[in-house]
C-alpha cells in the first residue's frame, strides 16, 4: 500500500442507479466543479487537469478515453471520431492491448495519442509501489512503438491512474519514468450509468469550456452509451466552434 496522506483525484465510485441530467449534474458538481479544478490545477502543477492557457484564447478541448482497447467498441468509437474529424488520447490497459493489438495499430495510424493506464483494470493506489511499478513498465513495453515524439526526440508519455486516485509518491514514481500524470476537468461519472448517452452528452455540453480535458470510457459496460455520447457531443462541439484534439495538441506541443 502507498503511504497515507496522498491527494485524491476527483473520481467517485458509487452504486447509484439511473439518474436524469439534473442528478448527473448535481453529483458531478459535488465532485469537481470547474472553478475548483482551476484552483487545484494552479496549486498542483505536476498533475494535468486542464489547460488554463486555452481558456481565453482558443476553443480547444481534449477528449480522453480510458480502459480500452476492445475489438468491438473501440472500432466503433474510432469510426465516430473519424466521421467528426476529431482526435482523442486513449489511456490503454496493457492486458487489453494483448487481446487486440490490431486495434492499437489503428488508434496510432489514425493520428490519435496513447497513454498508460496500467496493466490491469484496478485501483492504482491500492497496489504496492513494487506492483504498481511492474504494471506501469509492463504496459509501457507494449506502448513503446506507439509513443509519439517531440522535436527533442523524446516520447510523450501520459499516465492516468486506475480508478483516478493518486498521491505524491505515485507522481514521483511516474515522473521518474518520464510520464506526466493526467486527470481531467470534465468527468460525467459515465461508469455509473448505462444507456444514458444523450443525457451525458447534454451535461458535457452544458459544462464545456476551452482547455477542458473530457474523461469518458471505452469499456464493455458502456459499449452502447459511449458511442451515443460521441454521436451527440462531437457535432455539437463543432457547431459551437470547438476542435476536439489530443492532449499534446491541447498543450500545443510540437
Amino acid at each position: 500500500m502507498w503511504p497515507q496522506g496522498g491527494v485524491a483525484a476527483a473520481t467517485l465510485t458509487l452504486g447509484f442507479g439511473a439518474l436524469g441530467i439534473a442528478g448527473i449534474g448535481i453529483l458531478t458538481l459535488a465532485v469537481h466543479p470547474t472553478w475548483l479544478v482551476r484552483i487545484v490545477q494552479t496549486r498542483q502543477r505536476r498533475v494535468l487537469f486542464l489547460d488554463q492557457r486555452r481558456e481565453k484564447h482558443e476553443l480547444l478541448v481534449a477528449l480522453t478515453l480510458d480502459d480500452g482497447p476492445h475489438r468491438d467498441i473501440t472500432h466503433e468509437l474510432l469510426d465516430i471520431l473519424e466521421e467528426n474529424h476529431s482526435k482523442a488520447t486513449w489511456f490503454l490497459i496493457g492486458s487489453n492491448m494483448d487481446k487486440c493489438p490490431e486495434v492499437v495499430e489503428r488508434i496510432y495510424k489514425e493520428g490519435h495519442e496513447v497513454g498508460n493506464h496500467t496493466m490491469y483494470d484496478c485501483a492504482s493506489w491500492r497496489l504496492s509501489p513494487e506492483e504498481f511499478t511492474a504494471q506501469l513498465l509492463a504496459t509501457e513495453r507494449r506502448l513503446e512503438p506507439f509513443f509519439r515524439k517531440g522535436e527533442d526526440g523524446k516520447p510523450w508519455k501520459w499516465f492516468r491512474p486506475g480508478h483516478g486516485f493518486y498521491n505524491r509518491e505515485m507522481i514521483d514514481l511516474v515522473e521518474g519514468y518520464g510520464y506526466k500524470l493526467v486527470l481531467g476537468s470534465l468527468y460525467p461519472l459515465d461508469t455509473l450509468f448505462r444507456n444514458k448517452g444523450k443525457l451525458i452528452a447534454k451535461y458535457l455540453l452544458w459544462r464545456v469550456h476551452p482547455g477542458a480535458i473530457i474523461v469518458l470510457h471505452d469499456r464493455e459496460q458502456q459499449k452502447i452509451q459511449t458511442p451515443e455520447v460521441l454521436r451527440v457531443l462531437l457535432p455539437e462541439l463543432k457547431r459551437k466552434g470547438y476542435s476536439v484534439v489530443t492532449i499534446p495538441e491541447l498543450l500545443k506541443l510540437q
Side-chain angles (χ1 to χ4, degrees):
M1 299 289 287
W2 298 89
Q4 297 298 313
V7 183
T11 301
L12 193 60
T13 305
L14 296 173
F16 286 95
L19 294 177
I21 188 170
I24 296 173
I26 291 168
L27 185 58
T28 310
L29 284 171
V31 177
H32 63 279
T34 304
W35 64 265
L36 180 58
V37 179
R38 291 191 183 103
I39 294 172
V40 173
Q41 180 66 91
T42 300
R43 296 182 178 181
Q44 297 188 36
R45 299 183 183 275
R46 297 172 70 190
V47 178
L48 181 63
F49 294 89
L50 75 168
D51 187 352
Q52 292 178 302
R53 296 171 301 173
R54 303 278 84 80
E55 292 195 293
K56 295 181 180 179
H57 303 290
E58 298 178 81
L59 296 179
L60 292 178
V61 296
L63 173 64
T64 65
L65 292 152
D66 290 3
D67 295 348
H70 303 281
R71 279 200 170 90
D72 50 0
I73 180 175
T74 307
H75 281 302
E76 184 177 5
L77 295 175
L78 285 166
D79 290 343
I80 297 168
L81 288 167
E82 185 176 19
E83 291 165 8
N84 289 277
H85 308 288
S86 300
K87 302 297 181 185
T89 300
W90 302 74
F91 285 92
L92 302 179
I93 291 174
S95 59
N96 288 345
M97 295 176 67
D98 292 341
K99 299 173 185 176
C100 50
E102 75 283 358
V103 181
V104 188
E105 292 275 359
R106 182 182 173 190
I107 289 172
Y108 180 76
K109 288 179 179 178
E110 295 188 0
H112 303 280
E113 193 77 13
V114 295
N116 193 323
H117 203 39
T118 69
M119 192 65 189
Y120 303 102
D121 185 9
C122 59
S124 296
W125 67 276
R126 290 185 177 274
L127 302 173
S128 69
E130 294 76 17
E131 174 61 20
F132 173 83
T133 302
Q135 289 204 31
L136 180 80
L137 297 182
T139 306
E140 178 172 314
R141 287 192 292 272
R142 291 158 171 80
L143 289 171
E144 276 181 330
F146 308 106
F147 284 138
R148 301 187 190 278
K149 297 179 180 180
E151 291 180 342
D152 59 2
K154 295 181 180 180
W156 293 321
K157 296 165 68 174
W158 314 101
F159 171 75
R160 179 171 284 156
H163 297 193
F165 290 92
Y166 69 91
N167 55 32
R168 291 184 181 87
E169 291 77 15
M170 190 183 295
I171 299 173
D172 291 340
L173 195 153
V174 300
E175 286 183 349
Y177 288 103
Y179 285 92
K180 178 72 173 181
L181 197 150
V182 181
L183 292 178
S185 61
L186 288 181
Y187 175 30
L189 298 174
D190 58 318
T191 58
L192 302 184
F193 308 98
R194 297 193 186 193
N195 303 325
K196 294 294 178 183
K198 291 180 181 178
L199 289 174
I200 290 172
K202 289 178 181 179
Y203 169 73
L204 289 170
L205 290 165
W206 169 45
R207 286 197 61 200
V208 72
H209 58 89
I213 296 176
I214 299 169
V215 182
L216 291 171
H217 286 79
D218 168 14
R219 60 205 293 262
E220 182 67 22
Q221 295 90 329
Q222 280 74 44
K223 71 177 184 179
I224 296 174
Q225 177 173 279
T226 302
E228 188 176 41
V229 172
L230 294 187
R231 287 194 177 98
V232 175
L233 178 66
L234 296 180
E236 278 300 301
L237 286 175
K238 182 178 181 180
R239 189 182 65 81
K240 291 174 178 286
Y242 280 92
S243 295
V244 180
V245 301
T246 65
I247 289 170
E249 290 172 312
L250 181 72
L251 300 178
K252 294 294 184 180
L253 300 178
Q254 299 300 315

